[in-house]
């Protein structure tokens, strides 16, 4: 019998082996947490060939470290502290920064505690193949584990732990490499503690530990000139302040302490919300808050107080007598600030700065003096920032801010980086590469915005490529809208079926080893077809319809069974949840799932057996639902049509086959379903959709652009997708009332429509009833102009912009009377029909599968808090994907217009001219909408005009007499694509041709 020895740990060791701390629960209760840690002496150092540690280590650190640094010719390893990762992640991630790094477990934990996004970047970095990083579990090695001393704060304890670990490594290396008799002793590599804390460096030096600041270390590297640009502006206490940052007075008021902000918000004296910049006027912003129907208006730099688009800010509202209305003038940041000096701006006695201040004061002084009191809205100022939305922004170097444009110049210059987005301020940065970076798109991160600086300060991250090159433009677009576009990693691809594209639905019976046919309905003989846009590869829905013996109709919607392949809580599921949606650009698609699934195994291709999730109804000929059932199934689509092909087939009287009759049957039902929706108050809104004609699939050069044509078959598919989504929503909410994944569209506040109602009343004598969705739908139907057929579509587009965005939510998180979808006039709604491209649909499939008893519901979908967290990400990704898609169309429309203009010049024709509608009037210009191209433009006038804000008109001098232009007027505009003098980027420029030529204005 084996003898077992039981050893009890002495009480004296408890101090080292136990960690005791207190934490506050969500309900405010304080609990004591006691954690036991088991100390060992075999935690590996990670260095290759170490005689004391395990030799079977995957990807160890090199035996001699790195000898490429000037200060450490005998080799070294780098051991950074927490703040280095928090402040200098762009540097650490750079492909030029390659020293072997020892990453302490305590550092990882602290980074995770301080910033989850940075923790995720750090985690990805540890798996990167071009980095040499070893994670050392210092809290579990007996020589490096430390105990918090009396009166020692957590930060000091962590710093001491990092110094102890660095000292141990140096000792460990010397002990494991003893001198060998008769051989010359080679110097050992050094472990260097990298920290920005001067006090920590001083303590390290006293205890014999080699340490360095980030800047000092980078200055000794081979590519120092390039790497120094990556340093965060506030990353080193050794950085000398620029002239602009020293010896000058504050331009902005200081923020209130966070405790004061939170107490003020709780008491209702202050208000919290997201800051939204004004794209037409950089001196205005707004913050929507629940306490007011209209957003709180922020006027002027001082009142916006360093807020950046998307920041969560706290606002103090002024007394009502100080409330203002938004300005009517287009105020362009580049034009107003063009003479400002990046080095001197904001310094006392700076003439340019004073000139800018005078200009801005002049704009603000007359901004709302003529506005009626009804247009005024709550006005206030930012008194604090709860959470910054700073990230890497796509920018261009402002060539007017350079002091030297010589490409050989390596001197540090302070320059302006102008973001692509008009919603962002210019960013001041210091770089040695300014001349090289001209005419390039670059990434810049904001590091700080001092009260004494007119502009935020940031640092260069990397160059994306030449301005106007399609590759750089596409990558910058993805980065601007935070679209994850990295390739799928090995862990994700390992979740795919091992058979790859050879995977097939197994035959029934003994060959079905995975039991795929269990409780699946065999619908392979049903006449199913799909109808999609041209070139669609990720076909996630198919339909069928047939007459029943009782005179009713069976109709089915069959959706790709993605949840069979994407299992809960595995790497592929986590990645899909993080991506949230597939992003469609004009010539590219960023998939949510690997292409093997999205365009192959899950795609309901014709003549191939595929797994599906089917929703099957029995309907009367009047489209009344008799019954509905849901089942997992196997289908075999008989055809994949485009909308145009399906339309032609439906309309051809010579075709009487089963497939064509199925399409006709579906269409007849769809017409009745739509009529019922409209009668219930559903809105028929509009958004500008255009089709870009590309030269070829290889070049993807746009050659022309036109409006998309919507056919009857578009509506056919839409109606059955809506029917499926509503039916599924009812089922999952009934089964899982606390965690059902639903989608809602809240009714818009009536104040959102006030301006549109006023414009229609004053310019066209029309009224818009917004008391309900039905009333709005009815009044939109009568907003017509007999002389202008496109007028009604324009009004619908403008009404769409007054709406709130639809959002996903968990059914247990909101009141049941807020479940409704305003636009669809449905009491309940979800998304079930596109699981290949939307993660919310994958969750709905899992819930429906559990609701019909096919599979048990995964534990995460029983957790309301988990569902809420996931849907927050999905909602954000969905919004960003929509904006990225629109921006892609806008960019390609610009390229197509440029191509069209060049072709016109070759043929000796005039410039490109198009009809447009005036949708907004300003004191110094008009906003126009070109419906044929689906784009908006701004026509500005430099000469004096007469502006009537109350009647939305502007009077401009014509050749013979003054011309009055009003909102909804049809005009003709000349469209050109010109290079922006500053950014060198192609920009669509519009000028009026009729009723007046604005080129002379």
């Amino acid at each position: 019998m084996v003898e077992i020895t039981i050893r009890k740990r002495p009480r004296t060791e408890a101090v080292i082996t136990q960690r005791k701390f207190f934490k506050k629960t969500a309900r405010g209760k304080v609990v004591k947490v006691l954690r036991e840690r088991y100390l060992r002496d075999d935690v590996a150092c990670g260095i290759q060939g170490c005689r004391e540690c395990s030799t079977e280590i995957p990807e160890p650190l090199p035996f001699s470290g790195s000898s490429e640094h000037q200060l450490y010719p005998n080799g070294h390893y780098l051991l950074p502290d927490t703040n280095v990762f928090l402040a200098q992640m762009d540097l650490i991630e750079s492909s030029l920064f390659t020293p072997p790094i020892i990453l302490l477990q305590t550092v990882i934990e602290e980074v995770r505690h301080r910033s989850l996004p940075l923790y995720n970047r750090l985690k990805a970095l540890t798996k990167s193949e071009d980095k040499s990083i070893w994670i050392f579990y210092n809290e579990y090695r007996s020589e490096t584990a430390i105990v918090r001393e009396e009166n020692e704060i957590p930060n000091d304890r962590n710093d001491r732990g990092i110094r102890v670990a660095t000292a141990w490594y140096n000792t460990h290396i010397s002990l494991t490499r003893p001198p060998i008799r008769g051989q010359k002793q080679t110097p050992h590599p050094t472990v260097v503690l990298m920290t920005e804390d001067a006090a920590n460096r001083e303590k390290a030096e006293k205890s014999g530990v080699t340490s360095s600041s980030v800047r000092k270390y980078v200055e000794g590297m081979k590519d120092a000139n390039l790497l120094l640009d990556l340093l965060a502006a506030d990353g080193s206490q050794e950085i000398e302040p620029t002239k602009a940052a020293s010896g000058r007075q504050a331009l902005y008021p200081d923020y209130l302490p966070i405790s004061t902000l939170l107490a003020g918000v709780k008491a209702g004296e202050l208000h919290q919300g997201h800051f939204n910049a004004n794209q037409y006027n950089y001196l205005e912003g707004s913050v929507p808050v629940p306490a007011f129907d209209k957003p709180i208006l922020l006027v002027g730099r001082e009142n916006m107080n360093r807020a950046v688009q998307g920041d969560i800010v706290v606002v103090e509202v002024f007394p009502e007598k100080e409330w203002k209305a938004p300005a009517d003038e287009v105020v362009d940041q580049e034009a107003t600030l063009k003479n400002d000096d990046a080095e001197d701006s904001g310094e006392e006695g700076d003439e340019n700065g004073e000139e800018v201040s005078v200009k801005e004061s002049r704009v603000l002084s007359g901004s709302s003096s003529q506005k009626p009191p009804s247009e005024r809205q709550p006005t206030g100022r930012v008194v604090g920032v709860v959470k910054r939305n700073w990230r890497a922004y796509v920018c261009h170097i402002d060539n007017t801010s350079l002091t030297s444009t010589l490409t050989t110049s390596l001197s540090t210059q302070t320059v302006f980086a102008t973001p692509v987005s008009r919603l962002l301020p210019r960013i001041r940065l210091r770089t040695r590469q300014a001349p090289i970076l001209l005419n390039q798109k670059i990434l810049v991160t904001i590091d700080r915005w001092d009260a004494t600086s007119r502009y935020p300060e940031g640092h260069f991250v990397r160059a994306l490529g030449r301005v106007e090159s399609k590759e750089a433009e596409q990558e910058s677009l993805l980065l601007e809208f935070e679209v994850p576009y990295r390739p799928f990693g090995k862990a994700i691809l390992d979740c795919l079926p091992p058979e790859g594209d050879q995977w097939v639905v197994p035959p029934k019976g003994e060959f079905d080893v995975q039991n795929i046919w269990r409780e699946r309905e065999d619908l392979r003989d049903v006449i199913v077809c799909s109808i999609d846009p041209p070139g669609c590869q990720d076909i996630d829905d198919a339909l069928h319809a047939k007459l029943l013996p009782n005179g009713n109709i069976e109709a089915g919607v069959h959706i790709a069974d993605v949840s069979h392949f994407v299992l809960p809580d595995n790497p592929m599921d986590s990645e899909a949840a993080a991506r949230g949606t597939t992003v469609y650009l004009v010539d590219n698609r960023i998939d949510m799932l690997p292409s093997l699934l999205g365009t192959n195994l899950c795609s309901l291709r014709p003549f191939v057996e595929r797994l599906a999730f089917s929703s099957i109804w029995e309907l009367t000929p009047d489209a009344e639902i008799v019954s509905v059932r849901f089942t997992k199934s196997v289908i075999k689509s008989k055809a994949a049509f485009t909308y145009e092909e399906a339309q032609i087939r439906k309309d051809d009287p010579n075709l009487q086959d089963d497939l064509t009759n199925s399409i006709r049957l579906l269409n007849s039902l769809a017409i009745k379903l739509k009529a019922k929706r409209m009668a219930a108050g559903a809105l028929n809104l509009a958004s500008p959709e255009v089709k870009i004609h590309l030269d070829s699939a290889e070049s993807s050069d746009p050659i022309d652009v036109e409006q998309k044509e919507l056919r009857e078959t578009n509506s056919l598919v839409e109606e059955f997708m809506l029917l499926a989504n509503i039916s599924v929503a009812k089922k999952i909410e009934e089964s899982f009332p606390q965690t059902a994944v639903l989608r809602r569209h809240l009714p818009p506040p009536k104040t959102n429509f006030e301006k549109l109602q006023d414009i229609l009343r004053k310019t066209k004598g029309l009224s818009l009833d917004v008391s309900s969705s039905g009333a709005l739908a009815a009044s939109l139907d009568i907003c017509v102009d007999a002389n202008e057929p496109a007028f009604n579509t324009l009004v619908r587009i403008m009404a769409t912009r007054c709406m709130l965005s639809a959002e996903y939510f968990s059914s247990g998180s909101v009141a049941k009377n807020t479940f409704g979808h305003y636009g669809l006039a449905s009491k309940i709604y979800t998304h079930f029909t596109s699981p290949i491209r939307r993660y919310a649909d994958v969750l709905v499939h899992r819930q429906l599968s559990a609701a019909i008893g096919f599979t048990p519901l995964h534990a995460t979908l029983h957790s309301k808090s988990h569902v809420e967290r996931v849907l927050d990400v999905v909602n954000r990704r969905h919004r960003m994907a929509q904006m990225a898609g629109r921006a892609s169309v806008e960019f390609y429309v610009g390229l197509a217009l440029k191509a069209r203009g060049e072709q016109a010049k070759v043929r000796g024709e005039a410039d490109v001219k198009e009809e447009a509608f005036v949708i907004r009037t300003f004191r110094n210009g008009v906003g126009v909408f070109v419906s044929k191209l689906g784009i908006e433009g701004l026509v500005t006038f430099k000469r004096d005009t007469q502006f009537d804000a109350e009647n939305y008109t502007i009077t401009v001098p014509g050749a013979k007499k003054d011309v009055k232009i009003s909102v909804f007027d049809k005009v003709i505009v000349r469209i050109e694509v010109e290079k922006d003098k500053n950014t060198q980027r192609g920009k669509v420029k519009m000028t009026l041709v009729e009723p007046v030529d604005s080129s002379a204005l």
Side-chain angles (χ1 to χ4, degrees):
M1 186 175 176
V2 178
E3 186 177 337
I4 298 173
T5 305
I6 299 174
R7 298 176 61 193
K8 290 187 72 176
R9 179 179 289 137
R11 284 182 178 274
T12 52
E13 285 187 18
V15 178
I16 301 172
T17 60
Q18 290 179 353
R19 284 187 66 190
K20 181 175 70 175
F21 58 92
F22 295 89
K23 76 171 186 178
K24 205 174 192 178
T25 66
R27 294 185 176 181
K29 187 179 177 183
V30 176
V31 294
K32 184 168 82 170
V33 179
L34 191 67
R35 284 188 183 155
E36 186 81 13
R37 61 175 174 179
Y38 296 91
L39 301 182
R40 312 160 57 120
D41 55 10
D42 60 348
V43 177
C45 68
I47 297 173
Q48 187 179 33
C50 179
R51 34 192 273 183
E52 281 199 13
C53 300
S54 169
T55 53
E56 297 178 10
I57 296 173
E59 301 178 20
L61 300 176
F63 181 79
S64 301
S66 170
S67 56
E68 293 183 353
H69 199 281
Q70 293 176 7
L71 299 176
Y72 314 107
N74 298 323
H76 75 289
Y77 305 96
L78 203 58
L79 197 153
D81 73 356
T82 307
N83 288 323
V84 171
F85 290 107
L86 292 173
Q88 307 291 357
M89 189 63 86
D90 290 325
L91 171 73
I92 306 292
E93 287 177 331
S94 170
S95 58
L96 300 174
F97 191 83
T98 55
I101 295 173
I102 297 165
L103 178 58
L104 299 184
Q105 162 223 349
T106 48
V107 169
I108 296 176
E109 288 174 357
E110 197 174 358
V111 170
R112 183 176 186 174
H113 174 67
R114 298 272 294 277
S115 170
L116 201 54
L118 287 174
Y119 167 74
N120 289 330
R121 286 170 68 181
L122 180 57
K123 199 164 65 169
L125 208 59
T126 61
K127 298 173 184 176
S128 173
E129 293 178 2
D130 59 350
K131 296 285 181 185
S132 180
I133 299 177
W134 177 258
I135 299 174
F136 179 65
Y137 292 87
N138 56 314
E139 286 287 273
Y140 296 99
R141 175 113 192 177
S142 54
E143 298 99 319
T144 55
I146 64 167
V147 182
R148 184 175 168 185
E149 295 174 351
E150 194 174 348
N151 299 324
E152 188 178 41
I153 63 172
N155 187 58
D156 289 347
R157 177 201 177 276
N158 290 339
D159 286 347
R160 185 164 58 86
I162 293 167
R163 292 195 301 274
V164 167
T166 311
W168 175 83
Y169 255 101
N170 282 314
T171 306
H172 179 74
I173 290 170
S174 62
L175 289 176
T176 54
R177 303 182 191 189
I180 300 173
R181 186 181 296 176
Q183 291 185 13
K184 186 181 178 182
Q185 176 67 30
T186 55
H188 300 141
T190 307
V191 178
V192 180
L193 169 61
M194 179 188 273
T195 176
E196 290 293 85
D197 187 339
N200 197 17
R201 288 200 301 271
E202 190 179 335
K203 289 177 183 175
E205 298 295 343
K206 281 182 181 177
S207 59
V209 171
T210 305
S211 67
S212 173
S213 69
V214 178
R215 178 166 287 272
K216 183 181 175 184
Y217 181 85
V218 171
E219 283 172 346
M221 294 186 73
K222 185 173 63 176
D223 296 300
N225 287 333
L226 299 176
L227 290 169
L228 284 168
D229 280 359
L230 299 179
L231 294 184
D234 58 347
S236 172
Q237 296 169 1
E238 295 172 13
I239 298 177
E240 292 180 18
T242 62
K243 285 197 291 177
S246 59
R248 42 178 213 203
Q249 62 186 21
L251 299 173
Y252 304 98
D254 288 333
Y255 293 140
L256 297 177
I258 192 71
S259 56
T260 308
L261 296 177
L262 297 177
V265 171
K266 192 173 182 180
E269 295 169 1
L270 301 175
H271 305 274
Q272 181 177 310
H274 286 85
F275 173 77
N276 294 321
N278 184 334
Q279 63 172 327
Y280 296 112
N281 183 348
Y282 79 98
L283 293 174
E284 271 188 9
S286 61
V287 180
V289 298
F292 297 100
D293 290 337
K294 291 183 177 180
I296 298 171
L297 182 67
L298 309 171
V299 181
R301 281 182 181 280
E302 192 175 328
N303 291 330
M304 290 193 286
N305 199 3
R306 296 168 281 159
V308 172
Q309 175 71 15
D311 284 352
I312 299 176
V313 298
V314 175
V315 182
E316 176 188 41
V317 177
F318 298 147
E320 196 166 340
K321 63 181 181 182
E322 296 179 33
W323 289 7
K324 297 180 179 179
D328 293 312
E329 194 167 351
V330 177
V331 185
D332 185 46
Q333 181 175 210
E334 286 176 26
T336 311
L337 305 175
K338 64 182 177 183
N339 294 323
D340 212 357
D341 188 333
E343 185 67 51
D344 297 330
S345 59
E347 189 176 356
E348 284 190 72
D350 169 28
E351 292 179 11
N352 289 332
E354 289 172 12
E355 184 186 330
V356 166
S357 299
V358 169
K359 277 186 183 177
E360 293 180 345
S361 300
R362 194 184 305 132
V363 169
L364 295 173
S365 61
S367 60
S368 60
S369 55
Q370 299 175 9
K371 289 293 189 77
S374 60
E375 289 197 25
R376 301 196 174 188
Q377 62 191 71
T379 307
R381 66 187 183 103
V382 171
V383 293
V385 178
V386 175
K387 188 179 180 183
R388 287 290 190 188
N389 190 41
W390 292 350
R391 56 182 176 82
Y393 298 107
V394 181
C395 301
H396 312 86
I397 295 291
D398 181 347
N399 58 13
T400 61
S401 65
L402 267 68
T403 53
S404 170
T405 55
L406 294 173
T407 53
T408 52
S409 170
L410 291 177
S411 60
T412 302
Q413 298 187 53
T414 303
V415 297
F416 283 131
T418 305
V420 170
S421 171
R422 293 170 61 93
L423 302 173
L424 298 167
R426 296 203 287 186
I427 302 167
R428 184 197 282 120
L429 63 94
R430 302 178 75 196
T431 174
R432 297 165 186 262
Q433 304 177 67
I436 302 167
L437 297 177
L438 279 178
N439 306 328
Q440 290 205 54
K441 285 206 155 189
I442 61 171
L443 270 188
V444 175
T445 296
I446 295 178
D447 297 318
R448 69 180 184 212
W449 195 345
D450 297 330
T452 54
S453 173
R454 187 175 289 118
Y455 306 99
E457 297 198 27
H459 69 270
F460 166 76
V461 178
R462 65 185 174 96
L464 303 175
R466 299 286 299 175
V467 168
E468 284 195 301
S469 72
K470 269 190 298 189
E471 296 75 18
E473 292 288 349
Q474 192 170 81
E475 188 179 7
S476 70
L477 190 147
L478 296 172
L479 289 163
E480 191 64 26
F481 296 103
E482 300 175 73
V483 175
Y485 62 99
R486 60 190 176 276
F488 291 103
K490 184 177 180 298
I492 295 161
L493 298 177
D494 285 347
C495 299
L496 295 169
E499 301 90 344
D501 57 7
Q502 300 301 309
W503 183 93
V504 293
V505 177
K508 282 183 179 179
E510 59 184 279
F511 296 104
D512 182 16
V513 291
Q514 293 182 349
N515 212 11
I516 286 173
W517 279 94
R518 179 187 64 85
E519 296 182 38
R520 277 189 189 271
E521 202 165 323
D522 189 347
L523 302 179
R524 291 176 294 182
D525 294 331
V526 176
I527 299 172
V528 172
C529 70
S530 60
I531 306 173
D532 290 284
C536 181
Q537 293 179 303
D538 47 350
I539 304 171
D540 42 21
D541 57 82
L543 306 104
H544 88 270
K546 64 180 181 183
L547 282 168
L548 297 173
N550 64 359
N552 286 342
I553 301 162
E554 179 185 279
V557 167
H558 312 277
I559 307 300
D561 189 6
V562 173
S563 59
H564 173 82
F565 297 97
V566 183
L567 302 177
D569 223 14
N570 70 8
M572 185 158 61
D573 182 54
S574 300
E575 181 67 14
R579 294 189 177 214
T581 180
T582 292
V583 182
Y584 292 91
L585 307 178
V586 169
D587 68 337
N588 194 12
R589 189 184 67 236
I590 312 300
D591 291 320
M592 181 184 83
L593 295 171
S595 59
L596 177 65
L597 292 185
T599 62
N600 191 343
L601 305 188
C602 290
S603 185
L604 304 181
R605 295 172 167 185
F607 319 118
V608 183
E609 292 179 3
R610 286 288 180 252
L611 304 182
F613 209 151
S614 300
S615 178
I616 301 170
W617 300 267
E618 182 181 341
L619 299 155
T620 68
D622 291 327
E624 295 288 345
I625 298 173
V626 176
S627 63
V628 60
R629 64 188 178 90
F630 308 101
T631 178
K632 293 267 188 159
S633 61
V634 177
I635 65 166
K636 188 175 182 179
S637 175
K638 304 300 182 281
F641 297 118
T642 64
Y643 291 118
E644 186 178 10
E645 289 167 349
Q647 188 72 43
I648 292 168
R649 194 176 186 107
K650 180 191 82 69
D651 294 339
D652 188 345
N654 299 315
L655 293 175
Q656 295 298 328
D657 57 283
D658 289 344
L659 188 54
T660 307
N661 287 329
S662 174
I663 293 172
R664 289 178 184 140
L665 208 52
L666 286 166
N667 190 60
S668 67
L669 289 169
I671 291 168
K672 292 164 185 169
L673 287 169
K674 185 171 184 177
K676 289 177 189 292
R677 277 200 310 111
M678 292 302 165
L683 295 171
N684 184 15
L685 298 170
S687 60
E689 287 197 78
V690 294
K691 181 180 180 183
I692 312 285
H693 292 282
L694 300 178
D695 190 9
S696 67
E698 291 76 29
S699 74
S700 72
D701 288 326
I703 54 174
D704 206 355
V705 58
E706 66 175 8
Q707 273 186 299
K708 275 187 183 176
E709 184 183 349
L710 295 178
R711 297 178 172 82
E712 217 176 11
T713 45
N714 289 77
S715 181
L716 181 161
V717 174
E718 181 186 8
E719 290 306 319
F720 276 98
M721 296 306 112
L722 293 176
L723 184 63
N725 289 335
I726 292 168
S727 300
V728 170
K730 290 175 182 175
K731 180 69 177 177
I732 61 173
E733 197 275 329
E734 181 186 292
S735 302
F736 307 107
Q738 287 300 304
T739 59
V741 174
L742 302 176
R743 187 165 175 81
R744 65 176 179 172
H745 182 208
L746 291 170
K750 291 183 174 57
T751 53
N752 284 22
F753 285 95
E754 283 178 358
K755 194 156 193 173
L756 180 57
Q757 287 173 306
D758 196 41
I759 293 170
L760 283 168
R761 186 170 59 252
K762 288 175 178 173
T763 60
K764 296 288 184 180
L766 297 168
S767 62
L768 203 61
D769 185 351
V770 296
S771 56
S772 68
S773 62
L776 177 59
S779 56
L780 282 172
D781 287 341
I782 58 172
C783 281
V784 292
D785 184 336
N787 300 320
E788 188 45 68
F791 171 72
N792 184 260
T793 304
L794 181 64
V795 174
R796 290 181 189 276
I797 289 170
M798 293 174 77
T800 304
R801 295 177 182 184
C802 299
M803 299 286 175
L804 300 175
S805 297
E807 62 179 4
Y808 298 106
F809 69 100
S810 172
S811 57
S813 305
V814 301
K816 195 161 186 174
N817 61 358
T818 65
F819 280 16
H821 196 293
Y822 180 80
L824 299 173
S826 176
K827 290 181 180 178
I828 194 168
Y829 191 67
T830 192
H831 271 164
F832 162 75
T833 54
S834 296
I836 291 176
R837 60 186 179 89
R838 291 189 306 231
Y839 186 69
D841 301 50
V842 176
L843 298 180
V844 169
H845 274 233
R846 289 173 185 161
Q847 291 183 332
L848 183 62
S849 180
I852 63 172
F854 188 84
T855 52
L857 189 64
H858 192 263
T860 54
L861 287 177
H862 282 297
S863 166
K864 189 165 70 173
S865 60
H866 175 82
V867 173
E868 285 172 355
R869 268 197 313 275
V870 171
L871 294 184
D872 279 345
V873 174
V874 171
N875 279 323
R876 186 164 177 278
R877 293 292 188 204
H878 189 72
R879 284 194 300 273
M880 296 306 240
Q882 285 181 320
M883 289 191 280
R886 288 187 203 122
S888 175
V889 168
E890 205 172 289
F891 172 65
Y892 271 86
V893 166
L895 291 182
L897 289 172
K898 188 177 179 182
R900 192 194 285 184
E902 288 169 355
Q903 289 165 8
K905 282 179 184 175
V906 170
R907 293 193 299 266
E909 297 174 1
D911 296 328
V912 177
K913 295 176 185 176
E914 294 288 354
E915 287 185 345
F917 288 94
V918 176
I919 57 171
R920 191 166 178 181
T921 53
F922 298 97
R923 192 176 300 279
N924 58 341
V926 291
V928 296
F929 174 69
V930 184
S931 56
K932 186 178 177 183
L933 304 176
I935 59 171
E936 285 182 40
L938 195 60
V939 178
T940 53
F941 311 124
K942 291 179 182 175
R943 285 174 59 183
D944 289 340
T945 59
Q946 294 174 16
F947 176 64
D948 184 350
E950 203 162 334
N951 292 304
Y952 309 100
T953 64
I954 183 170
T955 304
V956 295
K960 295 179 181 178
K961 61 176 183 177
D962 290 353
V963 178
K964 185 184 280 188
I965 301 172
S966 175
V967 172
F968 292 128
D969 281 359
K970 184 192 276 189
V971 296
I972 293 177
V973 292
R974 181 186 298 110
I975 305 174
E976 304 165 275
V977 179
E978 64 173 15
K979 263 195 177 181
D980 187 288
K981 289 177 184 176
N982 174 30
T983 64
Q984 298 298 303
R985 186 190 189 200
K987 189 169 76 173
V988 174
K989 181 189 175 185
M990 294 189 191
T991 49
L992 280 183
V993 178
E994 292 181 19
V996 64
D997 190 340
S998 68
S999 57
L1001 301 176

